[in-house]
Amino acid sequence: MSDTGAGGDEVIHDAPGFIRVYKSGRVERFLRIDFAPPCTDAATGVSSKDLTILPGAGVSARIYLPPAPAGGQQGKLPVLVFFHGGAFCLGSAFDAAAYGHANQLAARAGAIVVSVEYRLAPEHPVPALYGDAWAALQWVAAHEGGQGAEPWLTNHADFGRVHVGGESAGANIAHHAAMRAGAEELGHGVKVSSLVLIHPYFLGGDSSESDEMGMALLDELVRLWPVVCPGTSGCDDPWINPMAEGAPSLAGLGCKRALVCVGGKDAMRGRGRLYREKLIGGGWQGEVEIWEADGQGHGFHLFRPTCAQAEAQVYTY
């Protein structure tokens, strides 16, 4: 039964400590965004700055450029378009944890990272953020051949090596961007080379692998899903379960390589493993790898970025 908040506004979803959603459309978020300003990181030498992708829609990004090699010039670099997690309704590309992880990615992979600030549900219900993701990929592709307004891309990007990735809900978003890249042209001859899914947020199917804490998390996410995606058919909706019967065939994934990272104690680890199996058995003409952090939970790399397994996970990308 729904509760009533101040002023008689009915609460339709309450996840204590995370988010509260009211019937009027009002949303309260309780996870504070620890904003980290763009700068040149002292530890890695990676530079970052903020930019706008879709001014009217409020879609923006933070771009990261690794330093040139000592005594040498900056060559052409791969590009990773990356999406943060947060169950489609929380988080930010500008949060300190997301900033630290993107710095690591840029430094370890030697890649330009475009970390996208997409619009959040429920104010912008799913599937709006998938459109934001596609717009971000198109914006990057538009810099091919020295075109576009962002000099870090026109001067340093290798558009033959454009990758898409994300963590948790961001991995879900990345999957759907790669699927769309298999069905539509990004433009300017740019293709998606590979897909990186870190602790992908997929629901549905068998949850028997989850422990008690994992089941509590899954139950909460199942309750939240129709709030962020009104009108959904449920947890076998292809938006949240791309392995569901009737979902678009994974054979259409628009890249030639995929990496799936899971945590050994992640409640959704089974979904990540199944995703790999479905790619292998579904007619997709690419290579897929899986990497598992033994004993680690969902998003552990954001909370313990310097632990050995977080470092090892970054090196797999």
Side-chain angles (χ1 to χ4, degrees), residues 241-264:
N241 183 7
M243 294 82 73
E245 185 176 349
S249 172
L250 295 181
L253 193 69
C255 58
K256 293 301 183 184
R257 180 178 179 268
L259 171 67
V260 183
C261 296
V262 299

Side-chain angles (χ1 to χ4, degrees), residues 22-157:
Y22 294 86
K23 189 174 183 179
S24 67
R26 183 163 61 97
V27 178
E28 292 179 306
R29 292 179 173 87
F30 304 109
L31 281 182
R32 184 175 65 91
I33 299 300
D34 183 14
F35 178 80
C39 65
T40 298
D41 184 67
T44 63
V46 172
S47 299
S48 58
K49 60 182 175 180
D50 296 341
L51 44 84
T52 300
I53 292 176
L54 288 177
V59 180
S60 58
R62 179 163 293 176
I63 187 170
Y64 297 79
L65 180 69
Q73 289 187 331
Q74 185 74 277
K76 293 294 186 179
L77 303 172
V79 181
L80 172 62
V81 181
F82 195 81
F83 305 99
H84 68 82
F88 307 111
C89 60
L90 298 166
S92 170
F94 308 131
D95 182 70
Y99 168 80
H101 186 232
N103 258 308
Q104 277 190 316
L105 287 174
R108 301 290 190 271
I112 298 170
V113 177
V114 179
S115 182
V116 180
E117 181 78 343
Y118 53 86
R119 293 173 295 171
L120 298 179
E123 296 96 329
H124 305 282
V126 175
L129 41 74
Y130 298 123
D132 295 348
W134 186 250
L137 268 174
Q138 287 185 311
W139 179 86
V140 168
H143 288 77
E144 214 289 317
Q147 304 176 73
E150 177 44 57
W152 285 4
L153 290 172
T154 56
N155 295 335
H156 301 296

